[in-house]
Amino acid sequence: MQEIMLKAYKAYDDYIENGTFKSWLLRIASNYLNNYYSRNSVECLSLDYEDEEFNSFYGYLSNEELSPEEKLIHDELISSVMLQISKLPKKQSQMIIYRYFYDMSIEEISTKMNIPKGTVKSTTHYAIETLKKHLNVDRQGEKIMECKEIYKYLFIYANGTIQPDHKKLVEEHIKTCPKCNDIVVALQKLIPTMVFAQEDEMTYFSISFPELKLAFTGIRYEVENFELCEKALEEWGGNIPDDENNMSSGYTKNCEILGVFDNEGNEIKMKICQETETHYRTKPTYMKKVYRYMWNYCAFLNKVAGGYIRSSKEAPNLYYGSFNNSLGGNAKSALYQAIPKEAENIRIKRGNGVIDCDTYKFAYVDRYVTEEETIRLEYSYLLNK
Ligand SMILES: [Zn+2]
């Protein structure tokens, strides 16, 4: 209290009389407390509770003997906790502060805020659940991976080529993330409908989720000089020398590659090299295995809208989507673009049709293309938001 008053006194010249004095003072107080609690031990932050289920969260936050690196991560965590508390509705954040910072009992809070005890209890419970969700921790207090870290596995999870340890990560994540779960559900429905070319023909597909700027692509090609490649890779122990240029491919600056995987879900490590001002190449630096008919499953984020979607001013509920691709080789090529499941009146102007996959619908085009050809998908739909 003393510290805060002193700070307020010192800062009084900066006080501009456009809000209430009280809220100005409270802002100083909360800033001070934020700093105080992130500087000092975390014991005061322990979200301890009568209920057992909160003990895990307490365990996650309580500060044991930490190494400098751990301390850094921990401090970051504390500031993210503080940030999330500040984002809660006012009553909820107030209760959390009373309960865990001032160590007040449910009864004391009830009296102080003039709110029934039961309501204090349930509101605090709700606030804690919200905090947990926003902080990405599960019931055991384990950190759940962020969507961006998990995206790269979603396609190979859905097609079953994922490695067991990655599979576990995805399952943990989709349990608490409805958005990623929707992607998985849709892909699991979509994949069995996809028809690939014969093994000796190149086959390509792209599935994009324009709203998320997320796309999954897959290309299968016959590896030239397969035996030679296999032998070389073995000699290198999977680490591809810098001067090996055969396996590089083009790349534009507008997307961020999240991950590339082979036929059996082994991650192919990539390096991006700048070729000209606008052109980049990706070069594999590590590959566990080479296959005669090699799949590259790739997940990437577009920095600009992935696959073009727009609605017009005159008809804001009407959306147009388009998407095209040229492969520069003879191949079977398929493009799929996710449409919200609530969409109605879907019209395919160019393309084969729509596949309903529960959580998403997909407009698609699927055919053989020659080297010079561009494959194009064009459609519209109505969406009442
Ligand atoms: Zn997610």
Side-chain angles (χ1 to χ4, degrees), residues 145-148 150-151 154 173-174 177-181:
M145 290 182 103
E146 312 254 343
C147 299
K148 205 182 149 184
I150 221 82
Y151 277 161
L154 296 184
H173 181 84
I174 59 177
C177 181
K179 258 190 176 172
C180 290
N181 192 55

Side-chain angles (χ1 to χ4, degrees), residues 134-193:
H134 290 162
L135 290 163
N136 284 310
V137 291
D138 71 5
R139 292 201 170 275
Q140 278 78 49
E142 294 276 327
K143 181 104 171 75
I144 293 170
M145 290 182 103
E146 312 254 343
C147 299
K148 205 182 149 184
E149 298 169 71
I150 221 82
Y151 277 161
K152 64 176 177 182
Y153 301 121
L154 296 184
F155 182 84
I156 59 167
Y157 176 79
N159 86 347
T161 56
I162 195 166
Q163 296 278 331
D165 45 341
H166 298 151
K167 189 176 171 183
K168 241 180 83 189
L169 291 176
V170 174
E171 278 165 0
E172 288 287 306
H173 181 84
I174 59 177
K175 260 195 279 180
T176 57
C177 181
K179 258 190 176 172
C180 290
N181 192 55
D182 280 355
I183 298 173
V184 167
V185 170
L187 290 175
Q188 282 172 335
K189 285 247 163 181
L190 178 67
I191 292 166
T193 73

